[in-house]
Amino acid sequence: MNYTYILKCKDETLYTGWTNDIEKRLEAHNAGKGAKYTRSRRPVKLVYLEQFETKEEAMRREYAIKQMSRSEKLALVMNYKETGQ
């Protein structure tokens, strides 16, 4: 499986990425070995997750989310918290 995810950083900013191993990736972010953006913003917390069959689908979704405004991303996160989807 491949995943597109959103992390909430310590400074309340949001980070979007994709991976094929969400647990390993989350550990890497919190260990300072993930993205450069999250290194100085630890700890991070997973607040949104989507699952895809292919890497390409996950990457397309990551790109689409990165094009959204902060308020659109927060609405996505809130809906995910309420529905789990």
Side-chain angles (χ1 to χ4, degrees):
M1 278 294 132
N2 296 277
Y3 305 91
T4 300
Y5 61 91
I6 299 176
L7 303 176
K8 186 174 188 180
C9 301
K10 180 177 77 172
D11 65 358
E12 300 294 315
T13 59
L14 300 173
Y15 173 84
T16 304
W18 80 272
T19 186
N20 59 8
D21 187 339
I22 191 64
E23 282 139 18
K24 185 176 177 183
R25 188 69 174 146
L26 189 55
E27 286 176 22
H29 279 296
N30 277 315
K33 297 177 183 176
K36 189 176 183 180
Y37 182 85
T38 61
R39 284 185 198 147
S40 63
R41 294 171 169 86
R42 295 179 285 153
V44 298
K45 179 181 176 188
L46 182 67
V47 294
Y48 181 82
L49 185 67
E50 279 187 63
Q51 186 173 308
F52 299 94
E53 289 290 324
T54 68
K55 170 184 169 180
E56 290 76 19
E57 290 173 305
M59 291 175 76
R60 271 195 295 276
R61 182 60 173 153
E62 175 195 21
Y63 179 79
I65 291 172
K66 285 183 173 184
Q67 302 310 302
M68 293 178 180
S69 67
R70 178 175 171 80
S71 60
E72 290 171 322
K73 291 176 191 177
L74 289 171
L76 197 62
V77 169
M78 290 304 293
N79 185 54
Y80 177 76
K81 285 183 178 181
E82 291 172 4
T83 65
Q85 299 180 30

